[in-house]
Amino acid sequence: MTTRTDTDVVGARAPGSTSAAAAVDGSGATSGSTSNKHSGIAPNASSDKNLSHSKLSGSGAFRLIAVAGASGFIGTALCPELAKRYQVRALTRSQVRAARPSAHPNIHWEHCDLFSADAVRHGLRDVDVAIYLVHSQAPSSRLTQAQPRDMDLILADNFAQAAAANGVRQILFVSGLLPRGFEFAPLLWNRREVEMVLAARGSPVTALRASLVVGPGGSGPSLLIDLVRRLPVMLLPPSAQSLTRPIALQDLIRALLHCLGRPQDFTGAFDIGGADGLSYAEMLRTTADALGLKRRFIPVPVLPKRLAALTARWVAGAPPALVGAIVESLPEDNHLRDNPVQQAIAPEALGFRAALEQVLTAQNPLARQPTHRPARQATHKPVDKPAHKPTRPISPRAVWLPADRARMRQQSLVRSIQRIITPPGLDAAWVAGNYFRWLGRCCFGLIKTELTPANPPNNPAAKLAVADRGIEHRSGHSSNQESRHWTVTTRWPRITLLRLELEPALSTSERRVYRIAGGLLARPNAPATEQALPRFEFQSLLDGRYTMAAIHDYAPALPWAIYRFTQAPLHLWVMRRYQHRLATLVSAR
């Protein structure tokens, strides 16, 4: 499956600015300024001396940088480098990691649920520069009914709005290297969408587009190493000959430091890569050679994505969605567009083999030290293998993942997200009202929805005013709705299934937040904290092109084994029907 490029996509537009598609246009040009080729950055090794000396324009002695996704493999390597010169607020969704003391005095770990707009706004308080390293592959709830690309859009929009609200001077984002053709794989188009969402709220965005990042704990190199180690014979489809430019983790960090605090020079998208341009087949052969293994690679005319994903899951334990996305992104060659950032890091950039050697020799934080057995080592030394067996480091998140999963299992919360195409000229407030009214008619007459004010009126005039506001809401205008709630009941006998109360302080025309306040299907005394509010949220983004309908931190009342196979699939079926309804409405227009 492929996706059309931005030539046929309506980009988001920030108030008083050019469109987000223009702000991050893939050419390495600063939005609303001259090309970065004329930014005065010398393309030689001397510019590398200043990679960690970037000055925040107009900043004082105190400089605060926030890193979202700090517990990932890029963030784990980046934060110590930033902490040499700046105060770093390391934002992580792992409560376990946030509770641990920091090993560096300038790194301050803080738990931040990026699905909560308030939590992100608090996490970016007093921040000068924000670095966004988030990708929705790891689970965030015990049950998640959502595509990673849809979760990514919500997280990016919350981050962009929080950055704008706090006056953040620059957002840096590690994106994906895009092909020059007109067809994008879903994985790469997802990265492009995130670029547009981050730029849509007005903050200057620097997007560094990289291919495979080779560093300790990275999922890409770990997958290569596991496949080569465990498969003596590998089938290579024609797409494995596609060319790309893998980049070493340390070179990516140098690029980030080079752009840090310089939005006047580096607003836009910049392609970056390592010293070598090679195919995925060549990377597999190089990996086999670095491991000292003899492997056979057989070209085949076709290799189904599902077969490749299942094989990788069986061999390396990799998530099928990750492998499938990688396989889909192979057919197109990736060539770097020349730009000042690449020119700055190119003189000292590592090749793929050198970067891979660093991965193989890095220390695994969870690996047990092997027992020393001199006699066995002396008598069982292979002829065609290196004297030592390099360890493949696991992801830094794996240290905290078991405890995080145990917490998620204990809380038993649900997240469900669907992307809905918004009819032109309408907003999240309209979609929310339309959805609840439609819900009362969609389920074969079994359920009913009612719209009520927070304090029901006692006199006929007030009731008439409520009815008038309901008509106004149906027409697409969302004023005077701050005190209105929805109740979902069965028609007979009348049983309240869910009660959803509007949160006026959190709601606008672009975002409608309904707290799940009670009902037969809501768990009594469910955990509700500042960052975990059980809610049904409608959020418009990309200049109103999409509305994301999302249930966050919902605690079902049914026993988990029953809920998982009854209410959960029923909700997903209902939401897909509504998706189809609005898509049909938009296409009819």
Side-chain angles (χ1 to χ4, degrees), residues 115-118 121 158 161 428-429 432-433 436 481-486 499-517 530 532-540 547-553:
F115 286 105
S116 169
D118 270 1
R121 194 177 300 114
N158 287 345
Q161 292 194 49
F436 284 119
Q481 296 297 309
E482 284 71 13
S483 62
R484 318 203 59 206
H485 308 321
W486 285 96
R499 188 173 69 256
L500 300 106
E501 299 182 354
L502 185 69
E503 292 288 331
L506 303 178
S507 299
T508 65
S509 61
E510 293 185 346
R511 185 191 299 265
R512 269 296 190 266
V513 180
Y514 294 89
R515 179 170 60 92
I516 301 176
E530 184 178 350
L533 176 70
R535 63 197 184 278
F536 197 169
E537 190 166 336
F538 296 82
Q539 180 175 350
S540 294
T547 295
M548 314 302 290
I551 290 180
H552 297 295
D553 301 318

Side-chain angles (χ1 to χ4, degrees), residues 477-497:
H477 301 286
S478 54
S479 60
N480 300 321
Q481 296 297 309
E482 284 71 13
S483 62
R484 318 203 59 206
H485 308 321
W486 285 96
T487 303
V488 182
T489 67
T490 56
R491 288 189 179 272
W492 191 88
R494 183 182 172 85
I495 301 173
T496 300
L497 300 178

Side-chain angles (χ1 to χ4, degrees), residues 388-456:
H388 68 285
K389 183 178 180 180
T391 60
R392 187 266 293 170
I394 62 173
S395 169
R397 280 203 181 97
V399 179
W400 327 109
L401 193 57
D404 284 331
R405 284 182 170 170
R407 181 186 293 269
M408 285 186 282
R409 184 175 182 84
Q410 180 184 16
Q411 293 176 336
S412 294
L413 301 181
V414 176
R415 193 179 313 281
S416 182
I417 300 172
Q418 288 76 39
R419 182 189 308 208
I420 296 170
I421 300 177
T422 312
L426 301 178
D427 53 25
W430 182 90
V431 173
N434 182 265
Y435 167 77
F436 284 119
R437 287 184 172 84
W438 170 85
L439 182 63
R441 302 190 301 268
C442 81
C443 299
F444 311 106
L446 299 178
I447 66 173
K448 180 181 179 181
T449 57
E450 294 180 344
L451 181 63
T452 59
N455 299 307

